[in-house]
Amino acid sequence: MAQLGIGQAVLQRMINDAALAQEAADLGLRVSDAKVTQAIHADPSFNGFDGAFSRQRFNEVMRAAGLTEFGYIQQVRKDIANTQILRTYRQSTMHKKNALRPLNIAS
């Protein structure tokens, strides 16, 4: 397989994300506010000096990255949904592979 340039890799990532988002919508997958909050609070990028989530640090990172809080929350929500879809797909694929393996039963 030929190596993709950065532009092609970014385009492929965008296509993959769009396909996962469509799959999540088709399945009616919803990510709760509590799950999004938990993910944001667990991100060490937003920790203050005490090692815990800091609203001030969160605001600083958002401002420095040029992001809005709403936009970032929506991105985290989408990322969690995409991860759930991929995890489900991988588990399904593993189960199918295991089901096709012959049983090794000693007689």
Side-chain angles (χ1 to χ4, degrees):
M1 178 191 271
Q3 268 190 318
L4 296 178
I6 292 175
Q8 286 295 317
V10 169
L11 178 60
Q12 188 60 52
R13 170 74 192 261
M14 291 172 66
I15 291 168
N16 291 345
D17 284 351
L20 289 169
Q22 185 60 52
E23 183 69 14
D26 291 348
L27 293 172
L29 181 63
R30 303 280 184 259
V31 178
S32 71
D33 291 343
K35 188 84 165 172
V36 172
T37 299
Q38 180 184 24
I40 292 171
H41 283 222
D43 187 333
S45 303
F46 307 126
N47 288 354
F49 292 114
D50 62 355
F53 176 80
S54 164
R55 174 54 116 152
Q56 180 180 350
R57 178 71 182 140
F58 175 82
N59 290 340
E60 289 169 357
V61 171
M62 291 298 104
R63 198 170 30 258
L67 299 170
T68 66
E69 181 175 339
F70 178 78
Y72 183 73
I73 288 170
Q74 292 307 104
Q75 183 61 49
V76 170
R77 189 178 309 276
K78 185 176 87 172
D79 289 346
I80 292 170
N82 289 355
T83 299
Q84 288 176 344
I85 297 260
L86 288 171
R87 186 176 298 133
T88 301
Y89 174 76
R90 286 185 190 124
Q91 289 172 347
S92 172
T93 302
M94 284 179 21
H95 289 302
K96 287 178 185 176
K97 285 181 183 176
N98 287 337
L100 296 176
R101 287 188 187 155
L103 296 176
N104 294 321
I105 301 174
S107 10

